[in-house]
Amino acid sequence: MFQKSPGKTMKWVTLLKDFKEKVGLSQPPSAASPSSSSASSSFRDNNASSTKQDFTASSPSRDKHELELDFKRYWEEFRSSSSEKEKETALNLTVDVFCRLVKQHANIAQLITMLVETHIFSFVVGRAFVTDIEKLKISSKARTLDVGGVLYFFTEVTKDGIRPGSNLLNAVEVLVSGPIDKQSLLDSGILCCLIHILNALLGTDQRHKATTSVEPLLAERNCDTDEGQVPRLEVEGSVVHIMKALASHPSAAQSLIEDNSLELLFQMVANGSLIVFSQYKQGLVPLHTIQLHRHAMQILGLLLVNDNGSTAKYIRKHHLIKVLLMAVKDFNPDYGDAGYTMGIVDLLLECVELSYRPETGGIRLREDIHNAHGYQFLVQFALILSKNQSVEAIRPKSFYDENSASDSLHTLNDVGRQDLKGKGGDTSPQNLSPALSRLLDVLVNLAQTGPADTTGSPGFKGSKNSHKQPSGHGRSRTPSSDWVADEIWETSNNKVKDLEAVQMLQDIFLKADSRELQAEVLNRMFKIFSSHLENYKLCQQLRTVPLLILNMGGFPPSLQEIILKILEYAVTVVNCIPDQELLSLCCLLQQPITSQLKHAILSFFVKLLSFDQQYKKVLREVGVLEVLLDDLKQHKFLLGPDQHVSDSNQLERKSSSSSFKKHLDSKDAILSSPKLLESGSGKFPLFEVEGTIAVAWDCLVSLLKKAEANQAAFRSANAVTIVLPFLVSDIHRPGVLRVLSCLITEDVAQAHHEELGALVEVLKSGMVTSVLGSQYRLQNDAKCDTFGALWRILGVNNSAQRVYGDATGFSLLLTTLHSFQSEGEDGNQSSLMVYIKVFTYLLRVVTAGVCDNAVNRIKLHAIISSQTFYDLLSDSGLVCVECERQVIQLLLELALEIVLPPFLTPETVESSNTVENGSESFLLITPSGSFIPDKERVYNAGAVRVLIRSLLLFTPKVQLELLNLIEKLARACSFNQENLTSVGCVEVLLETIYPFLSGSSPLLSHALKIVEVLGAYRLSALEIRVLIRYILQMRLMNSGHILVDMMERLILMEDMASENVSLAPFVEMDMSRIGHGSIQVSLGERSWPPVADNENTFYAELYLQEDGVLTLATSNSSSLSFSGLELEEGRWHHLAVVHNKPNALAGLFQASIAYVYLNGKLRHTGKLGYSPSPVGKSLQVTIGMPVTCARVSNMSWKLRSCYLFEEVLTPGSICFMYILGRGYRGLFQDTHLLQFVPNQACGGGSMAILDSLDPDLPLSSNTQRPESVSKLGSSKADCSGIVWDLERLGNLSLQLSGKKLIFAFDGTCTEAFRASGTLSMLNLVDPMSAAASPIGGIPRFGRLHGDIYICRQCVIGDSIRPVGGMAVVVALIEAAETRDMLHMALMFLACALHQSPQNVRDMQTYRGYHLLALFLRRRMSLFDMQSLEIFFQIAACEASFSEPKKKENTHSTVSPAATIHEASFEDLSLSKFRDEFSSVGSHGDMDDFSAQKDSFSHISELENADMPPETSNCIVLSNADMVEHVLLDWTLWVTAPVSIQIALLGFLENLVSMHWYRNHNLTILRRMNLVQHLLVTLQRGDVEVPVLEKLVVLLGVILEDGFLASELEHVVRFVIMTFDPPELTSRHQIMRESMGKHVIVRNMLLEMLIDLQVTINSEELLEQWHKIVSSKLITYFLDEAVHPTSMRWVMTLLGVCLASSPTFALKFRSSGGYQGLARVLPSFYDSPDIYYILFCLIFGKPVYPRLPEVRMLDFHALMPSDGNYGELKFIELLESVIAMAKSTFDRLCMQSMLAQQTGSLSQVGAGLVAELVEGNAGHDWRASG
């Protein structure tokens, strides 16, 4: 129509634009609200342009003030006039001035308020408007308004130039557009009037009459170009604008119920759909009329939205719902407009919502729709739209789309909403009409419209709909397929209130032929379900979803997806259990549907099972598990190829659409069991179509996982046997393994152990058998996958490890390796790679099976240590260049129990995980990526043994790397050493290195390092025999030194000087891994302390705090800390705790005392009370760190032995326990307990402790006398008098042997428990033995818990005994050919003697020391100082002693040769002690007992005066046989260098010169007649002079101690025996003895005796000395034949005796001694020394010490220089002087006479001088003369 006249088209567009601006359609609805003034502004502009009489011409001459005055004057005239005519005139003038004022004022509200009372003015204007219209109606013949009269009224101009109708209309529009209350206007009845005006403008009645005539329309169209058409559009725009503004008022609708105005409005809207569009298409009405009808619809919508519900009664009374429904019912797509009719449907929705507002009075307009069959009309409307949506798609959009854009009603509905279609996620079809989509939205809203949910936000909906949303339904118009992106609706307002509306959606879905519509309906249903949590449950009674599911096979995938999403929502969000829906899915699964749908269903099941565990039961009950199992049973793989017919077409066959229709009439007949449908799994298999196999297995696994009932059903169906054959299939194998893994893993107790056993058997045999007996062979890939599953099972189920071991799983090592041989002998590269892969998986599984399982470790050891395994591995070809590192890696993983995934190989892990140090490292993969050998443990040493046996099969570089790694592992900890030595690694290494002994291969040195480390821990009899044989064989070869050096280092590691060496088995508790390790001992119901009543129970805890402070606690509130007690790391300590409870009588007045002994010595004491506990409570003793106190740290404990005594031990008993040493194993009940006391027990602090014990105290006393108290003044104040007295030790042993024991653990393991995997230690206390407590409660075992293990270390001193003992050691010494070998053999000897008291006894029995001296004579050329030091270590040991500072100046002087090493007290107690014995105390239950009143935590340490402030060390003789038979055998030492002889004598001198414990050393030495030994040595003529001198010094030290008469007599007799007077040749010619060593020795002894004599202060002792020594020597040696040097010492001795003892001088005179001197001394006329001695005696000068050389000045010095000559002494000596001078004169005379006779006088003087010189030449052998 518009195309025929382009000019008209342009004008209409302009008019429509102007029309839209006037009525506010170009703005959002909010712009038309009272708060906006834009509409009035627009009105003023338009009004100015349309007014024919130009009032604006005079406006500039009249200002605003004058107009305001005119307005007030005219308004006052109106109010004051009495006649109607005057009032009308005044009002017209007032309104006219008002309209002009409005044009000049911007703020209209302020203007009105300033001029007049608003509500009065509004009412007056409104009534005037209504009155004028009523006049028009009355003036009409038909008493109705006609279009012409109305238009004339609004365009009429009076003779005064005023337009009263136009002014009234403009004034009303201004009033409704401003912020003015519209109630006055509504009260004036103007809205009813406007409805009638709109009805007239629509010309409804006229169009009814003119339906057959076209002329009026043509006439109207012809005048469209006239100017008169413009005012009509303005009038219509103003009327519509005013009506919309008034309709937005809450009371607008109520103002219309007094007459038929509202009904008329309903009819106008309905007629628009029924008549107008058909007339328009017939050309009877213009487009403008259709626009007016749309505005009428908007006005009605605003009235309904803003009403409070009171209109509902009116609507029902006048059947207005039916009026609207008829418009919908009669919709004809050929003539009607879907968009307009959809607007009527929106009005129906508004009516329903209106009926739920507060003032409805209980009227529900939904019932009116129902009664009028309105829902069916809506369904019919939807189907009509669906059929014609293709027409809608190509129809011009001007009727709906363009107008709906300006449709304020619909626009208001969409305020604040998002159009999600443009987001790309819209799954709805693009050609679905907007009207149809909107209709579906309305149905959704109808379903959810109802009374407000009290559980949500009461009143929220009503207030929101009344004031915020004109349409009243804030629902998105976006297709609900965009549900993922939709905003969350208010759950309180979206609950389904009307199921019938939901039913209508279902009906639409059922009756629609359009897939697009069906998809939209499903989306809308999903929106309904998702809008409130209860909606799905409410709609379940319709049973829509089950029916949809059953017929889902005929739907396209998009609809299937939506249905499953609906079901998923019901499960996940609504949290309901859709039993019927799931049952329908299960039934559908058995139908001939596509594999894609089956995949979707199974995937849904998998998702469902992962969401909630309860669906495992639900799905089982609906038959899903049964369906899957039936499908497996009918699989062609099991039935065989002949019994399976595959119909691929049938698989993909789709069900017809009629299958859905057949359920429409029987929709309530939901199936209750899938058995009602015949199983179709055989025809349409789940496990045979590739697309569903994986998800079917997933579903089966999900059903079984963590579902015991499902697993039971699975097992009852014999499904395990059914699925096993599927292992052969590559596509099925992952699923089968997952199922089996699930079953076995979750069988925590392995009640169905046969399942794992079956898996192991399949791997062992390589074959799997089906139910029908068919056998299938497992390929290598299948084996690897099965091994991988088995690895996962073993890693998470400890019970599976047990079953794996019971099922002989470790024999897989043999069967798998054997299968490599049986599969072929080609040995090509590809098969080798396959074999190494299988072997990798196998070893990783074995590692997982043995990890942390003690029983399995035993079973594995039996397999892997067998010769069969080694042979199979060697023959498998795996030990080759390509695979050797992988094989080593796997065996090391097994040894160290490093659990790695089977698929992890060196190729997948870069070498950066480890640091390679040249050839010294081995690349080892670990879970953490780093491998630190020092922190790893060897649990399965058999694997290491296999590697060592295979060592020579590896390449040289790998050999060295492997040996280096094994060495590091061996050095790591005692645990590794225990395991490696237990399997015989040393033996295998020794066998391996035998071919390399004669060379210098690096392999030899690397292997010997391992032998060194492991041998130092333990050597078997065979190993030590082989080692010694190697040493003897190679001793003469150049490479022999390697073995010797290794053996020497091995012995050094076990040296007693290293106090971390245990001499017996011990228990180690390591805190570095799990943080706890303990021995749990149950003592039953016994009470503690035993001597008390039964109401007291023992509770004690001994622990080390973080700061190292030892604390003893008897309850949580009573403890005693020992802050001064330090335990040095890396050493053994003997710890004893005594808790003494007083007896019953003294208990009220005495507190319980706790004593702590460290290394046999009382260190601390303090009060600590016992804590009571309930009677009958089990007494539990925990030794170590219990799991309740677990804390991971780097600390570890070693426990050698642990005893719990029932009685209090005395200090002596504790000291004796310490003395027995670390090697004792027993209960102290041995008959000859002293035989276990080691030789070196006298060392350390033992003697000091023994000395501190008070022998006067009773044996039962627990008091130990402090060291420094009450001893300093006694004769034993310096402890030098104590002797290692075995008799006293015997008394102490008797004290200890009488004490009753409760338990004693020393590392003895019970083999019975070891075989079962439960480690326990045996209690050595037999309940029936004499050592056991008589009251019972003796435990048999101590259970080991946590990280604790027993180390059965055996020192070499014990290892040598089975192969010959000390005889072998001595033979090694005899066989030594090199100095190094001799050193090693001697060190071996020392080590063996130190480590075992039995070896010491054997050495004595074999006369081993004699043999040692004998064999050494031929080896003295090899003997050096280092060897001598070893002898010293054998003979003596170091001992410590306390040395109080306050008395240090009072000690007697010690010989300079004795050296006392001073050290701190800490050094004494921690680092200098030897032979400690460690014992860790136990504690009871950790209950919080209340403390006794007499118990407190005060520490009463020993007084400071009692604590030794200084300690020193000295040497204590411990091996007398070594000294007597070796060290004192000078037939041996005379051939040694002088330095060695002197060092040996220095050692002996040190023994007897030490101030402390000197008496002990001398006592032992004197028992072996040391003096006689020394004298015999002095008698030898082959001893060098320096050695002789050292011997004499040593002899003097011994004689000085006590001046024993017997020793002095021996020495005097020996000195006398050195003088053998020569025979007399002539009476006057006496021959002097010649100079020799006997003279030298005699002179040394005489000097030594003189030295000793001058030290004697006691007169009594001096007299005894003169009797035994001096008198005999002087008497015997006063002889002319004595050598002059000896005579000088004899005269010195005589002078000392005369000067020091008057008694001796008197006796000497009376016995004729002076006469004897006078007779003898003339023979020594030529000795100046004798002259000097005589003159010294005469002049009273001391003769000792003797001058080195006598000169003439010395004689002059004897004379007093002052001339004061005193009285001469011993004047009898002058006779001797005169006789000597006379002898000299006589000789001179004789020579002179002879000279005269011969005539040679000149030679007399020279001859005399020469004689004197010759005589003096032999004075002494020393320069000192």
Side-chain angles (χ1 to χ4, degrees), residues 1199-1415:
L1199 177 63
R1200 228 308 277 136
S1201 58
C1202 183
Y1203 300 92
L1204 179 60
F1205 286 88
E1206 191 178 64
E1207 304 175 64
V1208 173
L1209 296 183
T1210 62
S1213 300
I1214 295 174
C1215 176
F1216 185 74
M1217 291 176 67
Y1218 172 65
I1219 288 172
L1220 281 175
R1222 300 196 300 273
Y1224 176 74
R1225 302 177 65 183
L1227 301 178
F1228 313 107
Q1229 304 293 317
D1230 306 85
T1231 305
H1232 303 289
L1233 195 56
L1234 292 181
Q1235 66 180 330
F1236 299 102
V1237 177
N1239 267 3
Q1240 63 274 12
C1242 58
S1246 301
M1247 295 185 70
I1249 298 171
L1250 279 177
D1251 189 49
S1252 66
L1253 296 176
D1254 194 341
D1256 300 331
L1257 295 176
L1259 295 180
S1260 61
S1261 173
N1262 201 262
T1263 303
Q1264 187 178 49
R1265 186 177 70 254
E1267 299 161 333
S1268 306
V1269 178
S1270 70
K1271 287 191 59 133
L1272 297 175
S1274 66
S1275 61
K1276 295 167 60 179
D1278 56 3
C1279 298
S1280 62
I1282 185 172
V1283 179
W1284 190 247
D1285 189 359
L1286 292 182
E1287 181 180 356
R1288 189 176 183 190
L1289 292 179
N1291 294 333
L1292 296 179
S1293 68
L1294 291 177
Q1295 296 180 28
L1296 182 59
S1297 61
K1299 302 299 181 181
K1300 302 300 181 182
L1301 279 162
I1302 297 175
F1303 66 68
F1305 297 109
D1306 71 339
T1308 302
C1309 179
T1310 57
E1311 293 301 328
F1313 285 95
R1314 182 180 180 86
S1316 65
T1318 304
L1319 294 179
S1320 299
M1321 285 203 304
L1322 180 67
N1323 182 10
L1324 301 181
V1325 180
D1326 188 342
M1328 305 305 295
S1329 67
S1333 168
I1335 65 175
I1338 305 298
R1340 295 305 302 136
F1341 307 103
R1343 311 287 182 180
L1344 305 187
H1345 295 272
D1347 199 353
I1348 179 172
Y1349 43 87
I1350 299 174
C1351 299
R1352 289 176 291 273
Q1353 182 174 5
C1354 183
V1355 291
I1356 196 169
D1358 291 331
S1359 301
I1360 195 66
R1361 295 182 55 77
V1363 298
M1366 299 308 297
V1368 174
V1369 180
V1370 175
L1372 276 176
I1373 297 173
E1374 193 274 338
E1377 298 290 344
T1378 62
R1379 180 163 296 172
D1380 290 340
M1381 184 173 178
L1382 180 62
H1383 288 168
M1384 181 273 295
L1386 294 179
M1387 289 175 61
F1388 196 175
L1389 173 67
C1391 189
L1393 292 175
H1394 283 158
Q1395 290 174 349
S1396 174
Q1398 185 62 40
N1399 287 341
V1400 177
R1401 292 193 295 273
D1402 291 346
M1403 197 70 174
Q1404 295 171 345
T1405 304
Y1406 303 153
R1407 298 179 62 85
Y1409 298 104
H1410 297 81
L1411 292 174
L1412 176 62
L1414 179 64
F1415 293 157

Side-chain angles (χ1 to χ4, degrees), residues 106-403:
N107 193 335
I108 300 174
Q110 182 181 2
L111 173 65
I112 297 174
T113 305
M114 178 182 63
L115 294 177
V116 68
E117 295 180 4
T118 306
H119 65 283
I120 297 177
F121 181 72
S122 298
F123 182 79
V124 169
V125 173
R127 285 308 303 172
F129 186 90
V130 172
T131 303
D132 290 342
I133 297 300
E134 288 295 332
K135 289 179 181 180
L136 289 178
K137 187 183 297 185
I138 295 173
S139 63
S140 174
K141 294 179 180 181
R143 300 293 180 180
T144 59
L145 293 175
D146 58 59
V147 177
V150 172
L151 293 178
Y152 177 78
F153 169 73
F154 288 120
T155 58
E156 177 188 7
V157 181
T158 64
K159 59 183 178 180
D160 298 330
I162 299 175
R163 294 183 175 183
S166 177
N167 287 341
L168 282 174
L169 186 61
N170 291 336
V172 173
E173 188 173 4
V174 170
L175 290 175
V176 300
S177 300
I180 301 171
D181 187 14
K182 303 174 183 62
Q183 185 62 47
S184 299
L185 286 172
L186 292 174
D187 292 343
S188 67
I190 191 173
L191 186 55
C192 295
C193 181
L194 290 171
I195 289 175
H196 287 280
I197 294 174
L198 180 60
N199 185 50
L201 292 173
L202 289 173
T204 305
D205 296 336
Q206 287 82 353
R207 280 192 297 275
H208 274 295
K209 296 177 183 179
T211 54
T212 59
S213 176
V214 185
E215 294 300 328
L217 175 60
L218 296 176
E220 185 178 355
R221 291 186 176 181
N222 290 332
C223 67
D224 282 345
T225 57
D226 299 338
E227 294 297 329
Q229 183 66 16
V230 176
R232 174 170 179 164
L233 293 177
E234 294 178 355
V235 170
E236 289 176 350
S238 297
V239 170
V240 170
H241 179 218
I242 295 170
M243 292 181 72
K244 287 184 177 180
L246 292 176
S248 299
H249 196 276
S251 60
Q254 298 179 21
S255 66
L256 302 178
I257 63 177
E258 300 298 333
D259 56 10
N260 64 342
S261 302
L262 185 57
E263 183 180 4
L264 180 61
L265 187 57
F266 270 87
Q267 290 176 352
M268 283 190 288
V269 173
N271 288 335
S273 176
L274 294 172
I275 301 173
V276 176
F277 278 95
S278 62
Q279 293 178 346
Y280 171 76
K281 291 186 178 181
Q282 297 173 9
L284 300 179
V285 295
L287 178 61
H288 175 64
T289 303
I290 294 176
Q291 296 288 15
L292 285 181
H293 276 281
R294 292 190 183 277
H295 288 307
M297 183 184 294
Q298 295 177 19
I299 293 168
L300 180 56
L302 289 172
L303 287 171
L304 296 175
V305 167
N306 291 284
D307 186 63
N308 60 2
S310 58
T311 316
K313 184 177 181 182
Y314 179 88
I315 295 175
R316 171 167 288 184
K317 178 180 179 181
H318 294 85
H319 307 287
L320 299 183
I321 293 294
K322 189 173 183 180
V323 172
L324 297 178
L325 284 175
M326 288 303 104
V328 178
K329 175 179 178 294
D330 297 336
F331 171 74
N332 187 339
D334 296 332
Y335 299 101
D337 182 76
Y340 186 88
T341 307
M342 192 57 239
I344 294 178
V345 176
D346 280 330
L347 291 177
L348 285 172
L349 176 61
E350 296 298 341
C351 290
V352 174
E353 290 184 344
L354 177 144
S355 65
Y356 288 100
R357 293 175 191 156
E359 303 299 329
T360 57
I363 296 175
R364 299 292 182 257
L365 297 180
R366 187 195 303 275
E367 299 172 2
D368 296 12
I369 298 177
H370 177 76
N371 294 334
H373 306 288
Y375 286 124
Q376 285 78 5
F377 299 156
L378 295 177
V379 172
Q380 179 183 353
F381 180 50
L383 295 175
I384 293 173
L385 293 178
S386 174
K387 292 178 180 178
N388 294 275
Q389 60 181 348
S390 59
V391 179
E392 292 287 336
I394 61 175
R395 181 179 296 178
K397 297 183 179 181
S398 60
F399 289 159
Y400 181 79
D401 295 338
E402 179 184 347
N403 294 317

